C-alpha cells in the first residue's frame, strides 16, 4: 500500500526543511534569554529540572513576598544554601549584583517567570488575546484558541469555563469581521478559501465536574449539555470547534460526546476531535470513527497529535495495575502517527486532518503522503503550539502555507499546568525539539523512518516493564488491578452481577463449624441499607454453645494445621485468592447491596481481600524460613515462628470482605485456627469467606464462621481461656473493651492473650497556603465522603491554613453541591446510604452538635427511603469542639481554620487518635516537617488519605487508633506468631561438622 | 643455629623411610577390611563421615536390638531409606544377601564395630590387656598404658579411675617380672638399658571431678591428691608415669601438677608430661619448663605431640570469643613440633624426649636433629598409637629401635570417645596418615620443611577467620568474650576487684531524675546475702511524687530524643558499652557481693549487658533506615519506626545488670525515655546504669533511675497514663498483674500501653536413653544449680527416660555431692547463697513439699551464716506434683522418670510455662521431634538450657513465660516502636520524577 520510495522522499523533504531553517533556534533554547538558560540547566541537571518545574507550578500561588522568598530557599537552597546563578539572572544586569537580597531575587525571578509564561500564552485578557491573535494573522498564521482553566471541581467552575468561551466567542465574532482571510482562497469569509477564521478548542472535562468513567452515560450527557451551548455559538458565528482529548480515562466518553454533537448538528461540518497517536487503542478508534463518519455521511475533522500525558498515563496504569495504554517506545508512537495520518488522508473525503506535531519527520511524512495520495490541500492543515518551535512554524508557513497556531489564553494561575507540561515535554530526553535544536542530533537519525527504528531495536512487544519471573517461585507480589472502567466489559459487568445477586437474596446462612454447616434457631436478617425492605439474607446466630463447639473444632484441627508447612498453608490462600478473582464482580455486587458501597470501592474491597491473601502467602513463605543466628561453629541456632493457637477474628462492616479476609488469612497462614465473627451488618459478605476457603479446600475446623450478636457472645468469645489471639478491627470503645478483657488471665488459661486491634480515627487533611487546590478539593471530597465517610481512614477534619481558607472552602463547598446522592448501585451517585438505622441516628445527632458548634457550610438533601444522612460540611470548628474530637463515621466534614502551618500540625495531632492524615502543600520544608511531626500511622502527602494498598501502604495507627500492627505490611504476620529458637550443640566428642554458612 | 644441610638430611631420611615401608598400608586404610572400607567411604562423603562417627559414638549405648535397628535407620536411612552398602558388608559373605532384615544387619554391624574398636584398644579386661602387651613386647615394642574412662563427673568416678590404675599397676608389677627387657641395654630390669618396663599415662581431670580453671589452686591440689597415690605406686614398682595433656583450659593446671609432683619425689626421675605443639603457648611453656628443670636440677621427660583437640579448641574459642589457642595452619604446628623437639634435644641433659607423631617428616626431623646434636640414644624415644600406622611403627622399630606404643585399655563404652577422636583424626583432610597411605600424596610434598611451606603460602599471621572490616561502618556484632580463666591476669583480677569494691561499701545512692541526683529520706540498705551484716549500699526510695517528677523529666526530654537520629542514639549505647568494658571486673565484683553470683557468671552478666548495647545499637541502625515499600512509580512509600514514648523498665535481681541494661538500652535506642526501677535486692548494681549512661553523656531526662518498693510505687508507675510502654522481667504473678493493670486505659491516657513481659519458667531437660551422660550430667547440674537455680532459664525438672534413669540419677547425685557450697567470692564454691531471706524461706517451704511429694535423693549441708538453702535433688516426681508445676527459683531439682521419649516430651510440655528446655539424645529422630514438639521459647539440644547469648540465642518464651518478645533477637526492638508509613504522591502536573529503585 505504501509507496516504496515514499520514505526516501520524506527524508529528502525533511532534509530540505532542516536546511531551510538552519541556524534558527526556538526561543525556548535560546541561551541569550532567561528561559533558554533555565532549559539548558534543566537538561543538564535532572534534580534541578524537577525542582524547577515544581517551583514554576507553585509560583503563581506565591503572592506574598515572604512566601516567595521561603519557597526559593526551600526549592533551590539545597545543602550549601546557594541559589543557582541562573535564577538570579537579570539581577546583575539590573545593577543589583553587589547586594542580592531576597526582595531583589524575588523581583527578578517573578519578572522572568512571568515573561516565560507570556511566551506560551496568547494573553491573560480578551483584549490582549485579540491583539496578539490579530498580529499572528497578519504574519500569516491561523489560530485555534484554548481557554486555560483550573481543573473543574464543581459545576460553578464548569459554568464559568463555558461562560468564558461564550464571552470569547462574542469578542471573536466582532473581531473576525476586521480580519482579512488568509491567502489561498477566493472566499473572504474563510481562510485559505475553506477554513473558518474563528477556531476554538474545548476540554470536555472542564465543562462538567462529575465526569467519571464508571458513569459513562451520565458523563457524556453532563458534558454534552454544556458543550452544546458553546458549539451552538460557534455555529452561529460560522466558526470551528475542536474537542480536545485529555487523559485516557475520558477518551471513550469524549469520542461519544463528539459523535453525538456531530450528529446533533449534521449541517455544520466544522467540528473536530483530537486523537493521540501514543495510545495503543488509537488505530482501532480511528478506524471506527472513519467508519462511523462514512456510514453516517457526516464529514469530520481530526487533529492528530502524539499525546501529552505520557508520564501520567504510564504512572497511573502502573499504580493501578493496568496495562499501560500508551506505547512505551517513542518510535512506536511516531510510527503510529504516520500510519494514522495516512489512514485519515486515505479517507480525506470524509475526514479533514490537522497534523499536530513539531517533529519534522512527522510533518514531512504527512506532506509527502498527502502528495502521494493526491489529497486536496483543503483537506489537511498543520498545527503547532504558540510560543514553541518557531523555526518549524516558519518553515511550515513557507512550505505548506496552511499553518495554525494553538493559542492558550487565560490567567497565569490556571495556565501553569499547561506551561509545566510544555516545559517538561521539551526538556525530556526523547523530545524531538530538544534533540533537533538543543542537542543538534544527527539529522539523518532524526529523519529516520520510525518503522525502521523499531526494526533496528528489535522491539516486538511493548512491555519493557515486565521481566521474566523466576520459575518455580512465586512471582513478586503485585497489587490486584483496580477496576478499569474505561473497559466497556467492566462497566457492563456491574449491573449484570447486581442483577445476578438479586436473584439469590433472602437465603439462609448457617454457621460453619468444624467443616459442617450448623443451623441455629435464632436468625437475623441482613438488609439493604438503601432499601431496608430488601432482605439480603437470613443469618443464623451463634451463642456461647456454638462458640464452645467451634473452639473444640479449632483445637482438634490445630496440631495438624500448625505442622503444615508454611508453603502449604500459603497455597490455600492463593487458591482462595484465585476463587475471589473468579467471582470478583459478584463479590462486589454483594457489597453494593448489603452495605451500600459504590462500584469502584466495592471492587477495591475485593481486590484488597485478594491482595491480603497473595501478600500474606508470600510473607509467610518469607517468615517461614528459619533464620540462622550467629556464626559460631559447633552450634546451630535457628530462629523461627510458631502460631499462637486459636484466633478470634472480629471484623467490621465497612470493609466487609477485605478486612475480614486480611485478619483471617493472616491468622490462618501463620498456622492459627480461626473463629470468625463477621459484623452483624455484613454477615452475608462474611459468609463469602466460608465459600472462598471452601473452594480452596481448607481442612475442617481450621476456619469457623460464627456470626453472632456481640451482646450475646462477644465477651464470651474474648474471655474464653482457649483463645490465644484476638484480631479486631472496629470502634475504639469496643477495641479497648477487648484489650482490657483479654488482659485478664482466666482460670485454665495458660498464656497471655495477644490483641491486635485496629480502631478509630479522627483524621485530618491539612491544606497549606500553597496547596494545589485542583487536586486538594477532589481528594478531600473523596477522603471525607467516599463510602459515606464510613472508613476509619476517612478525613473528618480539614485544617486549612488561613491564607487559602476562603478560596479552598468556596471551591470545596461548591464541589460538594455537585455530588449526587442515592443508591450505590447507580454509578452516578457519589454518596449512598449509611450502614443502618443506628448509624443514621448517631450521625444525625452529630449533625445537630455540628450546627451548634460551628457554621454549616452545606448540608445536602437526601432520598426519602433508606438510611441516608446529608453530606455536610461544617466550618468554624476548633480543637475543643466535640466535632473535632469524636469519631463520627459518616459524611460530616469539619473545616478548621488554622493561623499557620504550625498551628495546623498542632491541631492535626490534637486528638486521641493517630490513624491517617494528609497534607497538601508544595513547600518542601512543610512536607518534610509533616513527615516528622504529623504523627499518624499513615500519612499521605499531596493525595487523599484513604485506600491504603497492601504492601505499598501498610495500614494502621497508633495512640488510640490501634496497637501499631500495620496490616498489609512486613511486620503484620509476626504478631500472629511467637518466635522460638532451637540451639543445637553440634559438637560431639570434640568434633563439629563444618557449617554451610560459616563466615 | 640450625645446621644448614640438616633439612636435606631430614628429607633424605624421610625418603628412605618411605621406601622401606613401600607397599604397606595401615589396617585403617586397608579396603579388604571393613574398617578400611568405612574410612574410604567417610573420606569420600563428608555427610556420611559425620553420621558414621556420631553413630559409632552412640553405638555402645544401643544394647537393645530395637534401639540399634532404629538408630541405624535414623542415621543412615536417609531420604531413600536405603542403608549404605558398606554398613551391610559382611552380611553377604555370611550368606544372608537375599533377605537382609534388621536383626542380620544389627549382628553384622555390631560385630564389625566391635572388631574396629578392638583394633585400637589393647583390651577390655586386665587379663586381655596383659596378654596383648606381652605379645607386643615380644615383637619388640615397649608400651605405655592409658586407662580409658568416661568423663569423671563425680568423686566416686575419680576414685574408681584411680582404683583401676592401682589395680592395673598391681597386675603389671607381677607381669613385668616375666618380661625380658627389650634389647639395647645390659640392665635386665630396664628396657633398652634405661627405660622402666611399666609405663602408664594418666589423665589429670579423670582424677578429680571439680577441676575448673577459675579455681586454680583447688584444681591443682584436688588432682594432685589422687595422682600422687598412683605415682607412689608407680615409684614402688620402678615404673614411669606420664601426665597426659587434655584441653587447653587445663594446661596450666596440669603443668603445675606436674611440677609439684616432680618436686615431691625428686629422686624418681621417671615422670613425664605431655606438651602439644599446636598450642601457641607451647614455645613459652617449654622454655619455662626446661628452665625450671635446670634450676631445680630435676630431670624431666616430655612427650611432645601435635595435639588431638584441634576442632574442640577452635570451636570453643570461637564460641567464647577468645583468641584461638591453637595454630590454624597445619604447617605451623609441624614447624613448632620440630622447633620444640630441637629445643628439648638441646637440653637433653635435663629433659628426655618422647616423640609422639606418626608424621614421617617429623620423625625424620627428630632423628636427624638428635644425630646432629649428638644426643645419646637413651635421651629420646618414639611413640605411636596402638592400632594405627602399622607401617610407620614397623619402620621405626627397624630404624630407631626405641619405639613405644600408646595403648588404651578399658571398656568399649568409655573407649568410644577415644575411638571417634582417632577416626576423625585419620580421615581429616590434613591427616598425614590419610595423605601418606590413603591418598598417596607426593612424597616430596609430605617431606617438605614446614617452615618452607609457610614461606611458600606466605602466612604471616595466624588468624584466617578475621577479615578486614568495612571502613566507616560498625563491624559485625560479636559477643563479648567470656571470662578466660586460663589467663592468670583474669584470675587475679577478681579478688582484686572484690577488694576494691569492698572499700566502697555502704555509700548512699540517690535517685537520678532529669539529669540530677535526687535524695529522698526513705532509704533501704542493700546487703550481701552471703553475709547479711555486710551492707552494700543505702538506697534512696522513690514514691509517687518522684515518679511524677521523673515522668515530667522524661516528657520534656522526649521530643528531642525522639528526633535524634538512630545512629546518634546508637552511639550512646556504644559509649556505655565501652565504659562497661573498662570496668568489667569491678562491675562483676558488685554482683558477687550484692547478689551472690559466681565469678564467671557475674562476668557473663556484664558481658551480656555489653552485648545488649552493642547488638541493639546495630539493630537500631538497621531498623532505623526507612523501608521503601512497593515499586509503583509516582509515589514514594516509606515504612519506618517511631518510639512509643515513656517506658517504665522494671527489672529483676537475678541478672541485675544484663537484663536491666537490655531492657533499658532497647527502650533508649529506639527513642523512648526511660524510668528505670531496679530490683530492691540489686539497686546498687542498678545504679551502675546511671554511671554507664552518665559516662556516655546521655541527655538529661532521657534515662531516670527510680528505685522504690513495689508496694509503694509499682502500681502507680504501671497505671500512670503517661507511660507508653512497660518492659518487665520477673515473676509470673507480678507480670500478669502488670499486663492486666496496663490494659485498662486510664483517664487522660491516649494510647494502648504495650507490655513486654518476660516471666517465669519451669524448665525441663529430657535425658533420652541414648544420651551421652558424660555431657548430660554436668550440663544438668549447671542448668539446675548454677547461680543457685535462680534463673528463669534454670532447669527445675529433669525428665529421664526409664532405660537410663537409674544410671543417670546415680551419676548425677554423686556429682552433686561433689559440689562445694559457700560465698560466691571463693571460686571453689559451685553454689552460693540465695537472694534474700524471703527467697530462702520460700525455697525451704518447697523443700518440705518436695520431701512429701517425692523422695529426696540428696540434700546438701549449707553454711550457717547467710541465706543458704541446701542443694537438693528429689526423685519420683510426676506432673501432678506441685514440685513439677510451680516455679521455685532455687537449687531444687525434680527428677521425673518417663516411660519413654513420648511421655518425656508430653511431660516436658505439661506446665503453664514454656521458657527453656533441653534434650540430651543421640537419636536424630528424637532430636527432630523435640525441635517441633518440645514447645519452649529456647530449646537446646545436647547442651545446658541456660546462658542464652545475645543474637545467637534470642531469649524468651511463650505461654505464661512471656509475651513472645525475645530479647537479644531480631524482632525485639520492634516492640518498643510503632511503625509509620508516609506515602508521597510524587506526581505533579502529570509528571513524576524517575525513582532510583524503580524495578
Amino acid at each position: 500500500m505504501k509507496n516504496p520510495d515514499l520514505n526516501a522522499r520524506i527524508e529528502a523533504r525533511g532534509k530540505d526543511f532542516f536546511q531551510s531553517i538552519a541556524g534558527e533556534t526556538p526561543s525556548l533554547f535560546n541561551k541569550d534569554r532567561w528561559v533558554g538558560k533555565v532549559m539548558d540547566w534543566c537538561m543538564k541537571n535532572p534534580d534541578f529540572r524537577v525542582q524547577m518545574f515544581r517551583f514554576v507550578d507553585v509560583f503563581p500561588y506565591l503572592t506574598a513576598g515572604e512566601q516567595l522568598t521561603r519557597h526559593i530557599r526551600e526549592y533551590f537552597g539545597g545543602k550549601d544554601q546557594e541559589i543557582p546563578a541562573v535564577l538570579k539572572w537579570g539581577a546583575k544586569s539590573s545593577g543589583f549584583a553587589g547586594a542580592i537580597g531576597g526582595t531583589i531575587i524575588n523581583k527578578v525571578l517573578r519578572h522572568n517567570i512571568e515573561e516565560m509564561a507570556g511566551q506560551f500564552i496568547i494573553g491573560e485578557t480578551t483584549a490582549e488575546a485579540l491583539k496578539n491573535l490579530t498580529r499572528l494573522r497578519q504574519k500569516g498564521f491561523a489560530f485555534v484558541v484554548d481557554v486555560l482553566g483550573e481543573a473543574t471541581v464543581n459545576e460553578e467552575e464548569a459554568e464559568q469555563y463555558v461562560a468564558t468561551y461564550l464571552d470569547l466567542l462574542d469578542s471573536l465574532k466582532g473581531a473576525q469581521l476586521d480580519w482579512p482571510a488568509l491567502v489561498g482562497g477566493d472566499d473572504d469569509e474563510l481562510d485559505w478559501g475553506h477554513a473558518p477564521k474563528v477556531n476554538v478548542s474545548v476540554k470536555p472535562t472542564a465543562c462538567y465536574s462529575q465526569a467519571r468513567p464508571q458513569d459513562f452515560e451520565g458523563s457524556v450527557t453532563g458534558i454534552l449539555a454544556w458543550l452544546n451551548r458553546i458549539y451552538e455559538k460557534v455555529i452561529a458565528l460560522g466558526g470551528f470547534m475542536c474537542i480536545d482529548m485529555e487523559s485516557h480515562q475520558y477518551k471513550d466518553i469524549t469520542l461519544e460526546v463528539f459523535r453525538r454533537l456531530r450528529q446533533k448538528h449534521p449541517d455544520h461540518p466544522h467540528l473536530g476531535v483530537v486523537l493521540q497517536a501514543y495510545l495503543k487503542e488509537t488505530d482501532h478508534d480511528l478506524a471506527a470513527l472513519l467508519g462511523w463518519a462514512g456510514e453516517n455521511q457526516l464529514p469530520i475533522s481530526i487533529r492528530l497529535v502524539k499525546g501529552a500525558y505520557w508520564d501520567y498515563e504510564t504512572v497511573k496504569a502502573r499504580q493501578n495495575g493496568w496495562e499501560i495504554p500508551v506505547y512505551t517506545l517513542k518510535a512506536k508512537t511516531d510510527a503510529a502517527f504516520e500510519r494514522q495520518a495516512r489512514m485519515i488522508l486515505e479517507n480525506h473525503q470524509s475526514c479533514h486532518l490537522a497534523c499536530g506535531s513539531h517533529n519534522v519527520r512527522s510533518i514531512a511524512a504527512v506532506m509527502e503522503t498527502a502528495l502521494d495520495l493526491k489529497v486536496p490541500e483543503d483537506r489537511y492543515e498543520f498545527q503547532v503550539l504558540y510560543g514553541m518551535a518557531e523555526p518549524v512554524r516558519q518553515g511550515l508557513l513557507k512550505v505548506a502555507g496552511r499553518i495554525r497556531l494553538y493559542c492558550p489564553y487565560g490567567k497565569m494561575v490556571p495556565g501553569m499546568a499547561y506551561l509545566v507540561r510544555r516545559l517538561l515535554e521539551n526538556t525530556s530526553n526523547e523530545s524531538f525539539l530538544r534533540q533537533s535544536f538543543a542537542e543538534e542530533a544527527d539529522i539523518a537519525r532524526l529523519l529516520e523512518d520510525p518503522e525502521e527504528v523499531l526494526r533496528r531495536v528489535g522491539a516486538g512487544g511493548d512491555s519493557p516493564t515486565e521481566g521474566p519471573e523466576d520459575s518455580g517461585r512465586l512471582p513478586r507480589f503485585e497489587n490486584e488491578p483496580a477496576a478499569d472502567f474505561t473497559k466497556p466489559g467492566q462497566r457492563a459487568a456491574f449491573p449484570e452481577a447486581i442483577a445476578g445477586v438479586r436473584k439469590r437474596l433472602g437465603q439462609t446462612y448457617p454457621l460453619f463449624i468444624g467443616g459442617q454447616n450448623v443451623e441455629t434457631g435464632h436468625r437475623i436478617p441482613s438488609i439493604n441499607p438503601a432499601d431496608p425492605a430488601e432482605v439480603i439474607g437470613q443469618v443464623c446466630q451463634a451463642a456461647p454453645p456454638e462458640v464452645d463447639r467451634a473452639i473444640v473444632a479449632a483445637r482438634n484441627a490445630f496440631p495438624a494445621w500448625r505442622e503444615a508447612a508454611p508453603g502449604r498453608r500459603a497455597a490455600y490462600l492463593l487458591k482462595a485468592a484465585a476463587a475471589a478473582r473468579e467471582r470478583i464482580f459478584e463479590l462486589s455486587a454483594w457489597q453494593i447491596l448489603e452495605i451500600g458501597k459504590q462500584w469502584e470501592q466495592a471492587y477495591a474491597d475485593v481486590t484488597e481481600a485478594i491482595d491480603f491473601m497473595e501478600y500474606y502467602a508470600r510473607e509467610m513463605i518469607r517468615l517461614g524460613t528459619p533464620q540462622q543466628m550467629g556464626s559460631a561453629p559447633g552450634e546451630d541456632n535457628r530462629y523461627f515462628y510458631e502460631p499462637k493457637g486459636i484466633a478470634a477474628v472480629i471484623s467490621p462492616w465497612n470493609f466487609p470482605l477485605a478486612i475480614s479476609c486480611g485478619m483471617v488469612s493472616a491468622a490462618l497462614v501463620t498456622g492459627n485456627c480461626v473463629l470468625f465473627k463477621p459484623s452483624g451488618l455484613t454477615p452475608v459478605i462474611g459468609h463469602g469467606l466460608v465459600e472462598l476457603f471452601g473452594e480452596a479446600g481448607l481442612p475442617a475446623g481450621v476456619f469457623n464462621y460464627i456470626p453472632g450478636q456481640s451482646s450475646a457472645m462477644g465477651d464470651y468469645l474474648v474471655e474464653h481461656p482457649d483463645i490465644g489471639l484476638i484480631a479486631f478491627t472496629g470502634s475504639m470503645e469496643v477495641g479497648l473493651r477487648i484489650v482490657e478483657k483479654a488482659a485478664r488471665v482466666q482460670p485454665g488459661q495458660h498464656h497471655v492473650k495477644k490483641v491486635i486491634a485496629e480502631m478509630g480515627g479522627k483524621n485530618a487533611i491539612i491544606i497549606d497556603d500553597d496547596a494545589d487546590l485542583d487536586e486538594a478539593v477532589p481528594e478531600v471530597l473523596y477522603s471525607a465522603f467516599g463510602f459515606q465517610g464510613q472508613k476509619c481512614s476517612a478525613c473528618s477534619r480539614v485544617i486549612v491554613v488561613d491564607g487559602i481558607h476562603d478560596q479552598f472552602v468556596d471551591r470545596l463547598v461548591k464541589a460538594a453541591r455537585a455530588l449526587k446522592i442515592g443508591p450505590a448501585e447507580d454509578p452516578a451517585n457519589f454518596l449512598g446510604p449509611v450502614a443502618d438505622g443506628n448509624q443514621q441516628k448517631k450521625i444525625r445527632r452529630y449533625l445537630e452538635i455540628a450546627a451548634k458548634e460551628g457554621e454549616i457550610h452545606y448540608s445536602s438533601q437526601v432520598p426519602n427511603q433508606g438510611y441516608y444522612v446529608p453530606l455536610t460540611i461544617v466550618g468554624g470548628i476548633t480543637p475543643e469542639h466535640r466535632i473535632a474530637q469524636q469519631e463520627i463515621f459518616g459524611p460530616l466534614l469539619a473545616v478548621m481554620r488554622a493561623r499557620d502551618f504550625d498551628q495546623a500540625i498542632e491541631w492535626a495531632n490534637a486528638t486521641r487518635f493517630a490513624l491517617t492524615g494528609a497534607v497538601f502543600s508544595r513547600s518542601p520544608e512543610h512536607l518534610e516537617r509533616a513527615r516528622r511531626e504529623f504523627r499518624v500511622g499513615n500519612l499521605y502527602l499531596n493525595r487523599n488519605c484513604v485506600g491504603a494498598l497492601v504492601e505499598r501502604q501498610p495500614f494502621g495507627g497508633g495512640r488510640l487508633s490501634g496497637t501499631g500492627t500495620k496490616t498489609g505490611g512486613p511486620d503484620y504476620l509476626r504478631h500472629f506468631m511467637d518466635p522460638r529458637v532451637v540451639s543445637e550443640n553440634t559438637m560431639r566428642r570434640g568434633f563439629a561438622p563444618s557449617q554451610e554458612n560459616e563466615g
Side-chain angles (χ1 to χ4, degrees), chain A residues 663-678:
Chain A
M663 294 192 292
V664 167
S665 62
L668 289 178
V669 81
T670 47
N672 300 280
C673 289
V674 169
L675 272 61
F676 168 52
K677 177 190 170 320

Side-chain angles (χ1 to χ4, degrees), chain A residues 247-262:
Chain A
S247 65
H248 173 250
Q249 61 181 321
Y250 299 117
K251 185 199 66 179
D252 287 354
I253 291 170
T254 303
L255 291 175
E256 183 61 20
V257 164
F258 171 74
R259 280 190 293 263
R260 294 206 196 162
L261 196 61
R262 182 70 192 85

Side-chain angles (χ1 to χ4, degrees), chain A residues 307 487 538:
Chain A
K487 296 216 165 81
Q538 295 286 352

